[in-house]
Amino acid sequence: MSVFEYKASNEFIVRVEHNSDLVQSITELAKSKGIKTGSFTAIGALKRARLGYYDQKNHEYREIKVDSPHEIASCLGNVSLKDGEPFTHAHAVLADEKGNTKAGHLLEGIVFAAEVHLRQLEGPKLERKYDEVTGLSLWDMK
Ligand code: ZN
């Protein structure tokens, strides 16, 4: 286990624009506010989405297309650096009209309406680096 210590800094409450991509919007917000490390939660509704399921054997994301309106029952994630730029890692649980859910790594989520709470963290530089074992870009905490 590797541990870095941070202090909570600015908090941002954001209403995301209709028809924008939730993941991109958080990345753009982080870039515009100079946020290098942070965590966020989001709720609202998406018009459609693409979720990812990571195939641990073949080291690739499989895509789950969500082509109908869904509630964002839960969405959370973090911001850290990848190739020197803020990068958003988001996971979501999406609910349909019957309350049935689909969940996974949020690749794209086209917003119907969404409310984000982003917390900026101050501390050591947190950068992603390619990890041979998993095939993922994981936090480099050495
Ligand atoms: Zn993920």
Side-chain angles (χ1 to χ4, degrees):
M1 188 168 71
S2 306
V3 181
F4 279 3
E5 202 169 315
Y6 295 86
K7 293 243 183 295
S9 173
N10 298 318
E11 311 251 357
F12 299 89
I13 294 292
V14 185
R15 179 182 143 178
V16 184
E17 290 296 318
H18 186 78
N19 281 336
S20 60
D21 173 35
L22 182 59
V23 181
Q24 265 182 29
S25 297
I26 293 166
T27 303
E28 282 164 20
L29 172 68
K31 281 181 183 169
S32 73
K33 299 292 180 186
I35 299 168
K36 297 182 174 109
T37 312
S39 67
F40 66 87
T41 58
I43 55 171
L46 298 177
K47 295 170 88 171
R48 60 181 189 277
R50 289 188 301 120
L51 297 170
Y53 170 84
Y54 193 68
D55 181 333
Q56 297 179 9
K57 195 169 163 226
N58 295 310
H59 286 190
E60 60 189 19
Y61 275 103
R62 288 191 217 151
E63 209 172 291
I64 302 156
K65 277 213 157 116
V66 180
D67 282 328
S68 58
H70 278 67
E71 292 290 317
I72 307 168
S74 177
C75 177
L76 49 84
N78 56 61
V79 173
S80 56
L81 296 173
K82 188 177 175 186
D83 302 321
E85 294 285 325
F87 173 83
T88 301
H89 184 196
H91 282 205
V93 180
L94 305 178
D96 69 14
E97 73 275 12
K98 293 194 167 138
N100 294 323
T101 56
K102 291 185 177 76
H105 178 99
L106 186 63
L107 295 165
E108 182 187 64
I110 304 304
V111 168
F112 180 76
E115 298 171 345
V116 173
H117 174 190
L118 173 62
R119 171 176 289 180
Q120 184 174 16
L121 299 170
E122 294 297 342
K125 184 176 171 180
L126 189 60
E127 181 119 39
R128 292 185 178 275
K129 200 175 130 193
Y130 180 75
D131 176 65
E132 292 273 344
V133 177
T134 61
L136 292 165
S137 286
L138 299 182
W139 289 332
D140 182 20
M141 299 180 73
K142 287 185 189 113

